[in-house]
């Protein structure tokens, strides 16, 4: 848990009457980062809307999907989000283009107005959205590792077998008919 990012009741934010600011400096249990997550989060209760904005940064270590080598990736977040307080926003309640769910900056989430805002969860979600779907260490990637033993001169080198696929190879081998039986 990141110190100081405890959940806050939305009613408390409303009673505050001004934005609440959290300074972020720590590590998150579900996001293994090499450096502490640093930045700030600001939330303001604006009637039926909670406006949350933040600036965050950290560095994480990933494994390349091609060469299986480790590399570091910097995660930086500069985001502003509007969260509807109540059930799903209807067209009658949403009259400005800023609140239209069809535009990228519009309403994307809803919270119970009697509930809580969890700044630590918001930090985790924003940083997770910055992570690559495919981990690739860059243009210098050597590609899949090649077999280190020297095969016969007539056969081309074959890539090393990835141990993550061993269960599939075992299943395929168990489905093969025994080779000592003659084919009909």
């Amino acid at each position: 848990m990141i110190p100081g990012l405890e959940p806050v009741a939305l009613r408390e934010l409303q009673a505050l009457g001004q934005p609440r600011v959290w300074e972020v400096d720590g590590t998150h249990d579900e996001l293994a980062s090499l450096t502490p997550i640093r930045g700030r989060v600001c939330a303001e209760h604006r009637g039926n809307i909670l406006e949350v904005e933040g600036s965050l940064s950290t560095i994480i270590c990933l494994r390349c999907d091609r060469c299986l080598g480790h590399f570091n990736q910097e995660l930086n977040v500069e985001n502003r989000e509007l969260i509807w307080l109540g059930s799903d926003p209807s067209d009658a309640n949403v009259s400005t283009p800023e609140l239209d769910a069809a535009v990228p900056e519009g309403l994307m989430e809803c919270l119970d107005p009697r509930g809580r805002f969890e700044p630590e969860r918001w930090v985790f979600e924003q940083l997770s959205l910055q992570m690559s779907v495919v981990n690739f260490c860059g243009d210098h990637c050597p590609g899949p590792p090649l077999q280190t033993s020297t095969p016969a001169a007539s056969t081309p080198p074959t890539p090393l077998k990835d141990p993550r696929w061993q269960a599939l190879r075992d299943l395929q081998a168990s489905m093969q008919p025994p080779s000592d039986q003659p084919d009909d």
Side-chain angles (χ1 to χ4, degrees), residues 28-40:
H28 194 283
D29 298 337
E30 295 179 39
L31 184 70
S33 58
L34 297 174
T35 62
I37 300 168
R38 291 194 172 106
R40 68 180 248 324

Side-chain angles (χ1 to χ4, degrees), residues 77-100:
V77 174
E78 291 282 336
N79 197 10
R80 176 180 170 265
E81 181 178 14
L82 300 175
I83 302 172
W84 183 257
L85 302 177
S87 59
D88 290 333
S90 64
D91 291 336
N93 293 333
V94 180
S95 59
T96 64
E98 177 186 52
L99 303 179
D100 186 7

Side-chain angles (χ1 to χ4, degrees), residues 6 17 37 67 74 92 115:
E6 291 80 23
I37 300 168
C67 69
E74 187 174 358

Side-chain angles (χ1 to χ4, degrees), residues 28 81 109 118 120-130:
H28 194 283
E81 181 178 14
E109 263 188 78
E118 300 177 24
E120 184 176 35
R121 177 175 173 226
W122 191 85
V123 165
F124 173 74
E125 289 172 352
Q126 299 306 311
L127 289 170
S128 295
L129 288 171
Q130 298 301 311

Side-chain angles (χ1 to χ4, degrees), residues 43 111-112 137 155 184:
L111 285 177
D112 181 359
C137 62
T155 61
D184 291 334

Side-chain angles (χ1 to χ4, degrees), residues 2-171:
I2 301 173
L5 292 186
E6 291 80 23
V8 62
L10 291 171
R11 299 277 186 197
E12 186 180 319
L13 282 175
Q14 184 178 22
L16 189 60
Q18 62 184 7
R20 166 102 186 253
V21 178
W22 292 270
E23 293 299 322
V24 180
D25 188 5
T27 58
H28 194 283
D29 298 337
E30 295 179 39
L31 184 70
S33 58
L34 297 174
T35 62
I37 300 168
R38 291 194 172 106
R40 68 180 248 324
V41 174
C42 178
E44 181 177 8
H45 196 291
R46 297 182 1 194
N48 289 342
I49 295 170
L50 180 68
E51 181 179 357
V52 183
E53 59 183 294
S55 172
L56 306 160
S57 67
T58 190
I59 298 174
I60 59 173
C61 183
L62 299 172
R63 181 179 288 257
C64 179
D65 291 335
R66 274 187 86 205
C67 69
L68 303 179
H70 291 278
F71 69 99
N72 296 340
Q73 180 181 8
E74 187 174 358
L75 300 180
N76 292 305
V77 174
E78 291 282 336
N79 197 10
R80 176 180 170 265
E81 181 178 14
L82 300 175
I83 302 172
W84 183 257
L85 302 177
S87 59
D88 290 333
S90 64
D91 291 336
N93 293 333
V94 180
S95 59
T96 64
E98 177 186 52
L99 303 179
D100 186 7
V103 298
E105 295 82 25
L107 295 170
M108 302 302 267
E109 263 188 78
C110 297
L111 285 177
D112 181 359
R114 296 175 306 270
R116 306 177 313 168
F117 171 66
E118 300 177 24
E120 184 176 35
R121 177 175 173 226
W122 191 85
V123 165
F124 173 74
E125 289 172 352
Q126 299 306 311
L127 289 170
S128 295
L129 288 171
Q130 298 301 311
M131 294 174 66
S132 304
V133 175
V134 176
N135 297 326
F136 179 58
C137 62
D139 294 334
H140 63 280
C141 181
L146 297 177
Q147 192 172 16
T148 56
S149 64
T150 340
S154 62
T155 61
T158 58
L160 287 176
K161 292 183 179 180
D162 188 337
R164 296 176 290 183
W165 292 96
Q166 187 58 46
L168 180 60
R169 284 196 282 289
D170 294 344
L171 178 64

